[in-house]
Amino acid sequence: MSRLIGVYGAAGCGRGVMPLLRSQYRAPELVFIDDGQAPGYVNGHDILTWTDFLERQTDQKAVSIAIAASHIRQTLAEKCAAANIPLIEVRAASVVQMDEVVIEEGACLSPFVTLSSNIRIGRCFHANLYSYVEHDCIIGDFVTFAPGAKVNGNVTIGDHAYIGSGAIIRQGLTIGAGVIVGMGAVVTRDVPPGVTVVGNPAKPLIKD
Ligand code: UDP
């Protein structure tokens, strides 16, 4: 049986995901899909348009959406669902996952990610290099962790939140939907939906 897997997005994120897929799924053909780059070749894999991907004759198709921008991930997830193409999980071999972790479709778990016990995670979660989720966290849909994001126990994170590189979230907090936590921030209080926080202790960003 032939199987074609597409990595949606042939830029930085996609080029980080492709090698993980290569070692995770042995036989299938692996291609990039990209709406903004000319069809071609990158790191040994074809770049196809979405139309070309749909037209390829194969028994099974699946997609991994490897784009950091969460609203684009949502749009593309809906496009895949409309075409009846399932989203697969990408998981580096070094990921540590403890007990009772429920994680919905389409996650990308980079090398050295740790998911501790009793965690719920929504759709298309991106956990970049060395990030972690501690016990009893609840994480929404289309959430993105940059490299080294540290989320301690009993934290709730809303849909589309972005946790910047090296940021630390204190245990027990609620981080609202669409929140952006800046790189290296130390978050010690709840953050309301849509707010950007930076610094140590993290405070709302005042734009001038
Ligand atoms: N892209 C796409 N379809 C979309 C939006 C973006 O194929 O609807 C592609 C875009 O052409 C680019 C990649 O996704 O090649 C996103 O790259 P970017 O450098 O913005 O970010 P990253 O790879 O870090 O997510």
Side-chain angles (χ1 to χ4, degrees):
M1 190 169 61
S2 60
R3 190 173 188 208
L4 178 67
I5 298 181
V7 174
Y8 216 134
C13 185
R15 283 181 282 118
V17 160
M18 184 60 93
L20 303 178
L21 273 175
R22 258 199 322 266
S23 49
Q24 194 176 350
Y25 297 95
R26 290 238 167 117
E29 190 189 355
L30 295 168
V31 295
F32 289 104
I33 307 164
D34 201 288
D35 301 315
Q37 295 193 29
Y41 208 57
V42 66
N43 293 355
H45 297 271
D46 286 331
I47 305 176
L48 305 184
T49 64
W50 174 244
T51 307
D52 286 344
F53 181 76
L54 291 180
E55 285 175 356
R56 279 283 185 100
Q57 295 301 310
T58 181
D59 297 320
Q60 272 189 358
K61 286 178 191 163
V63 161
S64 162
I65 304 173
I67 294 176
S70 67
H71 287 282
I72 295 178
R73 288 210 297 283
Q74 181 168 14
T75 302
L76 296 179
E78 286 161 7
K79 187 158 109 172
C80 290
N84 276 325
I85 295 178
L87 301 180
I88 49 164
E89 182 180 279
V90 178
R91 179 181 287 249
S94 56
V95 169
V96 173
Q97 177 172 314
M98 299 182 187
D99 291 334
E100 304 295 332
V101 175
V102 176
I103 182 162
E104 291 184 35
E105 64 171 6
C108 288
L109 306 175
S110 293
F112 308 107
V113 163
T114 299
L115 307 174
S116 184
S117 294
N118 303 93
I119 293 167
R120 279 194 283 136
I121 298 175
R123 301 169 63 209
C124 292
F125 176 52
H126 272 204
N128 221 308
L129 303 167
Y130 289 100
S131 55
Y132 74 71
V133 183
E134 253 287 14
H135 64 88
D136 299 297
C137 285
I138 300 173
I139 294 181
D141 293 329
F142 306 103
V143 170
T144 309
F145 285 12
K150 300 171 179 62
V151 174
N152 290 318
N154 281 300
V155 167
T156 299
I157 299 183
D159 298 345
H160 291 284
Y162 178 91
I163 313 298
S165 189
I168 305 173
I169 316 287
R170 181 182 183 168
Q171 66 183 51
L173 297 184
T174 298
I175 308 298
V179 161
I180 297 174
V181 176
M183 183 188 290
V186 177
V187 184
T188 57
R189 295 179 177 197
D190 291 349
V191 183
V195 170
T196 297
V197 293
V198 295
N200 176 10
K203 298 208 165 78
L205 179 67
I206 297 161
K207 291 179 186 145
D208 42 30

